[in-house]
Amino acid sequence: MTWAEKTWAEKRIRAYHKGQPATFVERLILSFTHPIALLLAMIGLLMLIGGLWLHAWPWMGAGVAVYLLGLGYGYFRGWPDRKLELYRHGGQASLLDQRILEHAHPLHLVFAAVGFVMIGYGLWVQGWLWIVAGIILNFAGHVYTWLIK
């Protein structure tokens, strides 16, 4: 068994192969694996980061809108259904699929949300300690999903 097969995401993908349905959060998270959705999400996050750092409300609003557009694009194009159907027929998940699916784990989702708020606050007050703490918390969620059995 390889390292990738021991992760929580790989276990979920094997569960899909056995016919277990995906949760709403898992389907939503999988929509980000669409290339255009991922590109829009990254652009939206960069706009949001710049808006928070400069205290520019229009940039923050545009960043959130572009991020949600990326989320909606992947979801409403049926991308999660295609991915899940691929997994059900024994298809392999890419490394990107596995890393993104990790965000659907409940504890990782909480870590990521709290970490994102900490990063946002750190960007707003331009406090590097808050930004680094938020990044560490986000990374801790990934490490947790890698280590659980």
Side-chain angles (χ1 to χ4, degrees):
M1 194 178 265
T2 65
W3 170 257
E5 292 173 342
K6 295 179 183 178
T7 65
W8 179 84
E10 186 61 32
K11 289 178 185 178
R12 287 301 298 148
I13 291 167
R14 279 187 301 208
Y16 303 147
H17 180 65
K18 294 177 183 176
Q20 185 177 16
T23 65
F24 173 74
V25 172
E26 290 169 345
R27 291 170 45 82
L28 203 60
I29 295 292
L30 277 173
S31 68
F32 282 117
T33 60
H34 188 285
I36 294 174
L38 185 61
L39 179 65
L40 288 171
M42 292 298 126
I43 291 170
L45 283 175
L46 288 174
M47 293 170 69
L48 180 60
I49 288 169
L52 284 166
W53 188 263
L54 299 173
H55 298 177
W57 289 97
W59 279 97
M60 286 185 274
V64 169
V66 171
Y67 182 84
L68 292 175
L69 180 66
L71 174 66
Y73 182 84
Y75 191 79
F76 291 116
R77 295 274 301 173
W79 191 256
D81 296 329
R82 291 183 203 162
K83 284 290 188 178
L84 291 169
E85 195 62 31
L86 174 74
Y87 302 150
R88 285 188 185 104
H89 293 305
Q92 295 295 319
S94 68
L95 186 62
L96 175 66
D97 295 345
Q98 292 177 24
R99 294 299 76 83
I100 287 181
L101 187 59
E102 288 173 357
H103 291 88
H105 187 281
L107 188 59
H108 187 337
L109 192 61
V110 170
F111 279 10
V114 173
F116 186 70
V117 169
M118 291 172 70
I119 291 168
Y121 178 73
L123 288 167
W124 185 261
V125 298
Q126 298 180 1
W128 289 102
L129 184 63
W130 285 98
I131 296 169
V132 170
I135 291 170
I136 289 171
L137 193 57
N138 275 289
F139 187 69
H142 282 287
V143 171
Y144 174 77
T145 58
W146 297 338
L147 296 178
I148 62 173
K149 303 291 181 211

